[in-house]
Structures are given as C-alpha cells and as structure tokens.
Amino acid sequence: MAHLSQTLFSLTDLVRPRRLGLLAVLATAALPSTADARVAGYDGIWNVTFATTRGNCSSGYSVPFTVTGSRVSSAGGGRVSGTVKRGGAVAVHVSVGASHASGGGRLAGVNGTGSWKGIISGDQCSGTWQATRT
C-alpha cells in the first residue's frame, strides 16, 4: 500500500507542472505579443517632410501621416497607405491627384528617416524624408 501511495504522489507531481505549463501557455496566448506591443509604440500622427535629391520636384513639403497599429494612413493631404513592422521598418505609398510616390525607411521613438521615389507633377523624382511624431 505504501508503494501505491508513493506512485500516486509521483503521478500527481507530474500532472501539476503540466497544468501549470498549460496555464502559462494559455495566459501568454491571451496577452498581446511583443511584436504587437512594439508596433503600437508608433501610434500617433507623424509630420513627414520630403526633400528632393533627384529630379525637378519641389522640396520641403510636408504631409501628416497617422499610424495605428501596423497601418499607416492619411491624416489629411492625399491618399496614404502603408505598414509599419515591429522593428520600425515602414513602407508607404502616397498619391495626390496624378502625383504618386513610394517610400521606405524606419521609425524609432519619435523620429523617422527614409527615402522615396515617384512621379510628381509629371517629373520623375526621388529623395529623402524625415518624420517627427507630434
């Protein structure tokens, strides 16, 4: 009988850690992932200023973007679509009338930098951009 109670005690010890492990996995699944938390860290309105380095396009114009989760959209001033990844890598497409441009770069904290290229008022241009979260 003593052997049977020791065996039951050993089986109970094995089951408890498994239950705890299962509970830990379920609790972790219910929490937002680290990637989601990082992406959400870029939420807000970003003022993006463009500089032309190639082509006959005006320089120094600004467009406000909104970041919500992993999505980039317009905060006023044209159609904007894009994504932000967990490390801050951003890819965006902007169009206003017949002009359109695509760009990429990185957001970090309250600043961002990158490059762009597109056709602005019929001219093929490219350049850099800088962003500041407001």
Side-chain angles (χ1 to χ4, degrees):
M1 187 65 141
H3 180 67
L4 179 61
S5 65
Q6 284 180 335
T7 303
L8 288 176
F9 182 73
S10 297
L11 288 175
T12 306
D13 285 346
L14 282 175
V15 172
R16 282 189 186 139
R18 285 186 184 166
R19 282 187 190 164
L20 290 176
L22 178 60
L23 287 174
V25 168
L26 291 173
T28 302
L31 296 173
S33 72
T34 304
D36 292 340
R38 284 189 202 147
V39 170
Y42 303 111
D43 284 3
I45 297 177
W46 293 78
N47 187 40
V48 184
T49 303
F50 296 89
T52 300
T53 56
R54 258 193 192 155
N56 260 348
C57 300
S58 60
S59 202
Y61 58 94
S62 294
V63 177
F65 292 172
T66 299
V67 174
T68 306
S70 63
R71 200 180 99 211
V72 180
S73 60
S74 176
R79 287 177 300 189
V80 176
S81 62
T83 58
V84 179
K85 298 198 179 194
R86 65 178 163 181
V90 62
V92 178
H93 182 78
V94 179
S95 61
V96 179
S99 299
H100 56 88
S102 294
R106 184 161 309 280
L107 302 178
V110 296
N111 297 302
T113 60
S115 60
W116 65 272
K117 64 181 177 178
I119 298 175
I120 313 298
S121 301
D123 289 325
Q124 199 165 22
C125 300
S126 61
T128 61
W129 59 265
Q130 291 188 343
T132 305
R133 185 168 25 185
T134 57

